[in-house]
Amino acid sequence: MNGSDRSLTDLVKGARHVLFDFDGPICRLFAGRPAPVIAREQVDWLDAQGLGEALTPAERADDDPHSALRSLGLQRPDSDLVIEMEKRLTEQELRAVRSAWPTDYADPLIRTWSAVGVRLAITTNNSPEAARRYIEGRDLAPCFEPHIYGRTRDLRLLKPDPYCLNLALRAMGAAPAAALMIGDAPTDLLAARAAGVPFLGYARNERKAEPLREAGARHVVSSLESLLTILRGP
């Protein structure tokens, strides 16, 4: 086992609190209706309101459904338009829960971590109600409740702001250095850094892994099976 493997082992076995991003590490929320489709609808809706010029070309092309919402929320906090846009995205997320696809090995990993006494939380830019409905449907709620922290109406607090991570840490009485954040996007990494929490990247393919590595993620796994093996090992 090389030094990198030992470091990953220490990271996993040393965590006393684990903060999971939702869409990605726990499930593919938009498996039935791809995220780029939702993102495009957000942009089209803004265009219909005559506000398409508020987005940069990169934001217009972004596959992340939160991109346009985050941008508008920063420009027009608390406006009726932002509230309506956030409500529309929440409705899409709640609808998507019905066809969400579990991430391979996520369920047994969550149950194993919980069984050995590690406290778990969800820290997500998605609607907290969408995350709650999903874990209830998978009988995972006892592993997380009440620690589900997601998007609020104040869109300035979306990751990479560490707001939801800090909420979770305070509520669980967790020392940041003894926690672990598992996420699949650079915004997760940046939020973890700001909160002082060690980070572990999950990327189901190289396209998802590259941005994490470019952002400076030291550990990126392509399957949660490796984490489950570490937990179940000697």
Side-chain angles (χ1 to χ4, degrees):
M1 182 179 292
N2 61 37
S4 176
D5 290 334
R6 284 194 298 272
S7 296
L8 178 60
T9 297
D10 291 343
L11 199 64
V12 172
K13 288 201 167 185
R16 295 294 172 261
H17 300 82
V18 178
L19 314 180
F20 278 88
D21 182 38
F22 174 56
D23 184 16
I26 292 179
C27 70
R28 290 177 62 186
L29 177 59
F30 296 109
R33 197 153 184 263
V37 174
I38 307 299
R40 183 69 250 169
E41 288 181 354
Q42 293 278 86
V43 172
D44 290 345
W45 184 80
L46 264 186
D47 287 342
Q49 312 309 309
L51 288 170
E53 73 282 355
L55 302 178
T56 67
E59 289 166 345
R60 293 182 65 85
D62 199 327
D63 287 345
D64 182 354
H66 297 104
S67 183
L69 179 62
R70 183 189 294 111
S71 178
L72 196 67
L74 291 173
Q75 295 176 53
R76 299 166 178 255
D78 301 323
S79 72
D80 289 344
L81 191 70
V82 170
I83 291 171
E84 176 63 22
M85 193 174 183
E86 192 279 331
K87 179 182 176 183
R88 288 169 60 88
L89 181 57
T90 295
E91 290 171 352
Q92 293 276 17
E93 290 171 341
L94 292 173
R95 193 175 303 123
V97 167
R98 297 193 292 266
S99 57
W101 193 258
T103 298
D104 289 344
Y105 301 100
D107 287 18
L109 177 64
I110 289 165
R111 291 192 173 98
T112 300
W113 243 324
S114 181
V116 299
V118 173
R119 299 183 69 188
L120 308 179
I122 293 175
T123 50
T124 177
N125 280 348
N126 295 117
S127 158
E129 182 57 28
R132 186 171 289 109
R133 288 191 190 182
Y134 176 83
I135 64 169
E136 287 174 351
R138 303 292 297 176
D139 294 325
L140 295 171
C143 300
F144 289 104
E145 291 285 11
H147 301 297
I148 300 172
Y149 306 95
R151 187 174 65 244
T152 70
R153 283 193 171 180
D154 188 346
L155 301 175
R156 294 168 294 186
L157 301 179
L158 290 171
K159 292 177 286 183
D161 191 284
Y163 175 76
C164 63
L165 280 72
N166 287 331
L167 272 184
L169 294 172
R170 286 197 297 269
M172 296 191 293
L180 176 64
M181 170 75 192
I182 299 179
D184 71 337
T187 50
D188 297 317
L189 171 59
L190 294 173
R193 281 179 181 165
V197 174
F199 179 78
L200 175 61
Y202 164 73
R204 57 188 173 86
N205 55 43
E206 188 57 33
R207 182 181 66 81
K208 297 282 286 184
E210 186 175 353
L212 287 169
R213 294 196 185 99
E214 289 178 352
R218 182 180 178 190
H219 296 289
V220 180
V221 298
S222 59
S223 171
L224 298 181
E225 183 182 17
S226 59
L227 310 187
L228 190 58
T229 298
I230 290 170
L231 279 182
R232 290 175 171 173

